[in-house]
Every structure is written in C-alpha cells, then in structure tokens.
Amino acid sequence: MEIKYKNTLDKELIKASKIQWRYANQKSIKTILICIFFSLGFFAWGLLTMNSSGFWNFKTSVGVAYAMLTLIISINLSHKRVQRLSSCTKAIETKNKKCIEYTFNNEKIMIKETDAYAESSWDIITGYRQHNNFLFLYINSSKSSYFTVDQNDMAEVNFTTLLSFVKTKIPLEK
C-alpha cells in the first residue's frame, strides 16, 4: 500500500477542529452534567426538608455552590473553545498557501512540507477515530496531537484502503 494525500489548510479544518474539540472535552461535559445533577439534588433536598430555619440552609447553600461551580466551568470551557477555534482560523489564514503532503505505506508515514520533511513508523499513532468524512490519527494518548485526513480530498479507493489498514493496525479511540 502506498497512498499519497495532499492536505491544504482550508475551512474544512475548522469543521475538523470542532469535531475534535467535542471529543477531547467529553470529560469536561460529563463533569458539568454531574455538577448540575448535584446542584439540583442538594437544592431539592434542602427545599424538601425545610424547617423553621427558612429557605437558606446548608443543603440549599451546597446546591447553589454547585450551580455556581457549573457556571464557572461552563464559561471557562466556552472561552477555551472560542480561543481554540480562533487560533485555528488564524493558522489557516496565515498558512493557506502551504500544502502538506502525506505518504502512507505499510511501514511508515512520510510528511513533506515546503520547508520540512519527517518520517515515522506507525508506532507513533496510538489511536484513530472516524467521524463523518474525517479520519483522525492520534499521535499521543492526550488526543491533542493528530493528523486529519479528509475523505473529500482523496480518491474513495485510497481512503477505503487507508481506513481498512488503520482498522487492522491501530485501536479505535472511544
């Protein structure tokens, strides 16, 4: 197998970055949902066991504290997403003329750019994920470094061959 793929930085990478951002922040979203659950639970528990001390008691206060924590985490996550997509947009605008050429074969991956060249074995790829027409090849387990292969930029036969090779060689990211 030898597949050549030319990746130009374009608006499709913004879509790929949004997809990757959602997968990378699933733990944060689960944390937000857990905080919302605890907030509602403590608030309801405080209201149901209300005694003569009135509306504000320890349980409702803990519920409000969880609600504030949820709000802070949500604002922070939203701010980081806007920053990330803004930096991706700036990178696309400044490097729009450059073309990155990937060559995939059975033994290694070769990456050529106008001023750089790199070669590596498939061992650096720790996982993959396919979403819509994108194939993400993760370089490390933190999911912050990855190659993006857009199915629309290559022949369907080449994409299918690459995907079947990746499926047999690399574990699927969950």
Side-chain angles (χ1 to χ4, degrees):
M1 165 188 86
E2 182 157 319
I3 298 172
K4 292 190 184 251
Y5 168 68
K6 289 187 178 182
N7 182 11
T8 55
L9 295 173
D10 59 1
K11 298 300 178 191
E12 288 295 313
L13 280 178
I14 295 288
K15 194 184 302 182
S17 295
K18 287 179 182 178
I19 292 167
Q20 184 55 29
W21 179 263
R22 190 177 74 227
Y23 282 120
N25 287 298
Q26 285 180 343
K27 288 182 182 177
S28 299
I29 293 170
K30 288 178 184 176
T31 303
I32 289 171
L33 292 175
I34 288 171
C35 285
I36 289 172
F37 174 76
F38 277 119
S39 173
L40 293 175
F42 274 106
F43 199 71
W45 187 25
L47 289 177
L48 292 175
T49 59
M50 219 170 30
N51 53 17
S52 62
S53 64
F55 176 75
W56 288 108
N57 56 33
F58 178 74
K59 296 166 195 160
T60 56
S61 298
V62 170
V64 169
Y66 269 112
M68 290 172 56
L69 179 67
T70 303
L71 182 65
I72 291 169
I73 292 172
S74 299
I75 290 172
N76 186 27
L77 189 64
S78 173
H79 182 68
K80 284 184 179 181
R81 180 179 187 269
V82 168
Q83 281 182 332
R84 166 83 175 173
L85 293 178
S86 172
S87 68
C88 286
T89 304
K90 286 179 186 175
I92 288 169
E93 289 171 355
T94 58
K95 297 181 179 181
N96 202 17
K97 306 291 187 269
K98 290 187 178 181
C99 180
I100 303 170
E101 183 179 312
Y102 297 97
T103 304
F104 303 103
N105 63 29
N106 292 339
E107 293 83 31
K108 59 186 172 183
I109 302 169
M110 293 171 278
I111 304 165
K112 293 179 191 175
E113 200 173 338
T114 54
D115 54 352
Y117 176 80
E119 251 181 47
S120 181
S121 69
W122 281 95
D123 294 336
I124 66 160
I125 307 296
T126 59
Y128 80 96
R129 175 177 285 126
Q130 183 185 9
H131 186 85
N132 293 345
N133 57 340
F134 295 106
L135 176 65
F136 298 102
L137 300 173
Y138 297 108
I139 296 173
N140 58 27
S141 60
S142 69
K143 297 183 184 107
S144 61
S145 300
Y146 55 91
F147 299 121
T148 304
V149 178
D150 188 357
Q151 182 178 1
N152 297 332
D153 289 345
M154 65 188 329
E156 188 174 336
V157 174
N158 289 344
F159 187 80
T160 307
T161 305
L162 178 63
L163 185 61
S164 64
F165 177 77
V166 166
K167 283 181 178 179
T168 59
K169 192 155 183 91
I170 301 168
L172 177 68
E173 285 290 328
K174 296 178 182 170

